[in-house]
Amino acid sequence: MWKNGDTGGVRKALAFSFVVLGLSSLVAQVLLVRELLGVFYGNEFFIGWTLFAWLAWTAAGALLAGRLHAGPGNSVRPLVICHALAAVLMPALLAGIRAGPTLLGGVPGAVPDLLPAMGFALAALAPLCLVLGAQFVFASRAWPGGEQADASRVLGRGYLLETAGFVVGGLLFSFYLVAARETSVAGLIGCLNAMAGFVLCLGFRDRSPGPRMALVAAVAVLAPAAVYSPRIERETAAWRFPGQILVEARNSIHGNLAVTAIARQLNFYENGLLLGTEDEQLASEPLAHYPMLWHPDPRRVLLIGGGFNGALGEILKHGPEHVEYIELDPILIDMARRYTGAARRQALADPRVDTIIADGRFYLSRLAAGGSTGRYDVVIVNLPGPGTALISRFYSREFFRDVRRQLAPGGVLAVRLAFSPDYLGRELENLGAAIYQTLRAEFASVALLPEYEILFLATAGDTPAPAAADLVARYRQRGLKTDFVIPPAMEERLGNDRIGQVRAAFDANRTAQINRDSRPIACAYTFAYWLRSFHPRAAAFASRASAARWPWGAGLAGLALLGMRAALRRRPERLGPWAMGVGGFTLMACELVLLLGFQMFCGYLYHRLALILAALMLGMA
């Protein structure tokens, strides 16, 4: 296969192959995880599922490759073919995942059915992961003297080189490619794999036409993607939103932002999650006017999220002195200024409005650390429900405590959730009761206004809530002009019997637990509520599982250890496979804990995903 003097060139070619394998694996993993998050509503459940599928298919690829026999003289050819396949599969899978909503028949912005979504993610990752798993085996087998050398040495050297590629890929992606077009990144990594294949052919002096033709074919496929990258990016990005026209899609360090159109309606998405439409008067009026009317004289207001779709303009109708509007992503503000109507742009440009680009959690924490208290009369949270660990941080007890410290005497906090006023199922009741009990843990008074969105109005003092007549009087005194929050509507909403029924259900609920930063139980309740729409029995099981305490986990772990001990006593020669299995389980568990923990406590997982994975792999190496 090579001459004695050629082993140096062969080793260098294989070392480059291992490094490219690691770099490709890291970048492809991050790209595809982020893409699946975007297709499936930004739900972090798919992070765990994607990582499981990735490891399972990679292991399957390594197993299949290990059973293939490579005769002398051609051991490099399967490796070259793997590089050629990896080069083509990355952009192909990226496009395939973007077509997921169309293939699954989903509605953009709506959570898909869990089981088909899981099956789609599992199938989508299989081709590339099988190739990457086989690639490691073929590269280890091709190492000079690999058949006679100590296997642990060859594998350890290969793993170290692959990890070097992981680290390079993590740094490269985190600091240079995080906001680049995904198709451009996939094309770049594909070209790098094609280069690695040619380097192997040169290093091994393999002149057979098969591998070289495969590499040429891969480059021929990648060339159009590189030349027409912006056009391909736009065309494939539009597949995420079937039935809609993609107006613009942009990457930032916090996520993928998109504006779509349905007739004259503009929709704003982040990582597939519907943030709102360009004009949501029906939703914005209750969210803004009830808390503003709840306070006798709201002068200083904090709005967290969603100021681009009408809420900010409704707040300004009350004549506040100062409004602080916090948004995490400056690109979202830029897109709002470009695509929203004149009234929304005017509200953003109002001199009383201070638009602050920051994470709302960290912003309030910094205020508290600086000794600030009693800063606001009204705080309004205009965010989607706590279906993700990222958003759940704004429904936790720690967040509500930070808000309470920044409220002036008589200050009001407003939080809303999607709700069903006519049928309160167990899953939705648990979710609503969890937020209600979390608010009650920090606020003396929590009022409920249930409709198709339930509005929570919390105050730190135990003074009685204002009556409908008080709100009507303030409405007229301030000269408000509204379409939906009008005096008859206020009297009906504050006087209907749903308020007492929902409060009684929440007070009687003994299942719901307080939502914490360290235990975002609201995510589990939202997940069960999601399942309820498709699989009621699975939803019931998820509800019971979310109520389980730590002794159940400890008991299951103890049973697993006892079972392992019994299995090893019968077959002690299986200690090696058991040890590797426990190591793999530990890796997976720690990876999930690190990723979700970073999301819960830092909120920048989209930006730092590649760096965290690279650091984890470096530690393993």
Side-chain angles (χ1 to χ4, degrees), residues 264-330:
R264 298 178 61 184
Q265 174 182 298
L266 292 178
N267 310 299
F268 288 77
Y269 294 90
E270 183 173 24
N271 295 334
L273 180 66
L274 180 63
L275 299 178
T277 64
E278 184 271 337
D279 184 8
E280 292 190 353
Q281 199 73 6
L282 179 59
S284 297
E285 283 195 10
L287 179 65
H289 291 302
Y290 281 111
M292 295 296 285
L293 291 169
W294 217 258
H295 195 283
D297 186 27
R299 313 309 300 167
R300 297 160 297 169
V301 182
L302 174 65
L303 173 64
I304 300 178
F308 63 89
N309 58 355
L312 188 58
E314 298 302 316
I315 291 171
L316 293 173
K317 291 180 179 179
H318 292 261
E321 294 175 354
H322 186 68
V323 179
E324 292 182 11
Y325 166 39
I326 297 182
E327 195 66 70
L328 176 63
D329 203 326

Side-chain angles (χ1 to χ4, degrees), residues 9-17 20 76 80 83 192-206 212 215:
V10 166
R11 292 177 188 272
K12 291 178 181 178
L14 286 171
F16 184 63
S17 174
V20 170
V76 73
V80 174
H83 276 293
L192 188 62
N193 272 273
M195 182 189 301
F198 283 117
V199 169
L200 285 168
C201 289
L202 292 174
F204 279 81
R205 298 186 179 180
D206 190 332
R212 292 174 182 267
L215 292 171

